[in-house]
Amino acid sequence: MSTETPAVGRPRAFDEEAVLARATEVFWRHGYEGASLSALTGAMGINRPSLYATFGSKEQLFRRAFARYHEDKVANARTALAQPTAYGAIEAFLRSSADGLTAGDHPAGCLSIQGGLACSPENGRISEVLAAGRAETEAALEERMSRAAAEGDLPDGVDARALARFVMTLSEGHAVHAAAGASREELQASVDIALRVVMSPVRG
């Protein structure tokens, strides 16, 4: 990890949110370790002293980028989970996820999957940050399924935690396939099967 000392200099002459968005895309495309400082500063349109002065380090830049990304994703997930039935919440979550994974305004797939699953031991903190983000989303799913169970919206014996894990596993698998080139239509077809074969018992 670089030991360069952050530079102290003139006031920033760039939009911090805009350069953070560009950094996010580089991390999304290349992962944490694959995103070189040259690639990051080139995309961000700033030099290394400015990067260090503003964000502290590459790791801190990644944490900022991921926090920004994750906040949007959690908001989208909670909107989906606000559907009035468990079935509707699961369907909305999976379909909005498939749409997001294949949207044309950012790299295909998911930053939380592509960002650091294969990080080396010295960058294990990055994998932990990403895992914590995915766990937060899964916890929101579990909370929604537990509420559905308490309201009688799930059949007796359905394990809310296992159901939430299933939904997250499918969504994360879709992220891998989207990054490999799967189309939105292909992901939505997979959602169709999951809802028909697995989720039909929880239809409200």
Side-chain angles (χ1 to χ4, degrees):
M1 185 170 64
S2 173
T3 57
E4 289 185 53
T5 301
V8 177
R10 294 170 295 179
R12 296 167 196 163
F14 56 85
D15 182 332
E16 189 172 322
E17 284 300 309
V19 299
L20 189 59
R22 295 181 201 127
T24 301
E25 182 164 335
V26 175
F27 285 127
W28 200 330
R29 290 187 185 281
H30 302 290
Y32 177 76
E33 292 190 350
S36 68
L37 285 172
S38 295
L40 286 164
T41 55
M44 296 164 77
I46 62 175
N47 57 28
R48 291 193 188 194
S50 291
L51 185 153
Y52 288 118
T54 305
F55 300 103
S57 66
K58 178 183 174 182
E59 179 178 330
Q60 289 173 305
L61 171 62
F62 181 86
R63 287 174 179 269
R64 284 276 306 276
F66 180 68
R68 179 178 179 274
Y69 165 90
H70 185 61
E71 183 178 347
D72 288 342
K73 293 302 175 185
V74 169
N76 291 339
R78 292 199 180 279
T79 297
L81 296 178
Q83 294 296 314
T85 66
Y87 182 90
I90 292 167
E91 179 176 25
F93 180 88
L94 289 174
R95 294 207 184 280
S96 65
S97 173
D99 287 346
L101 293 169
T102 54
D105 59 347
H106 57 66
C110 173
L111 177 59
S112 70
I113 298 295
Q114 287 143 250
L117 283 182
C119 274
S120 57
E122 58 265 32
N123 289 317
R125 293 185 302 274
I126 298 300
S127 295
E128 291 170 2
V129 167
L130 298 174
R134 295 192 299 272
E136 182 181 353
T137 303
E138 185 173 326
L141 272 163
E142 182 180 349
E143 179 185 6
R144 178 66 183 86
M145 295 303 102
S146 295
R147 178 159 60 87
E151 293 171 349
D153 190 33
L154 290 179
D156 291 341
V158 171
D159 186 327
R161 185 175 186 181
L163 182 56
R165 175 62 55 87
F166 168 81
V167 175
M168 274 299 291
T169 300
L170 182 60
S171 179
E172 291 166 355
H174 280 172
V176 174
H177 283 284
S183 68
R184 177 173 296 180
E185 291 73 20
E186 289 170 326
L187 298 188
Q188 293 290 5
S190 177
V191 174
D192 290 341
I193 292 172
L195 292 171
R196 184 168 64 247
V197 176
V198 180
M199 299 302 176
S200 56
V202 303
R203 186 187 298 274

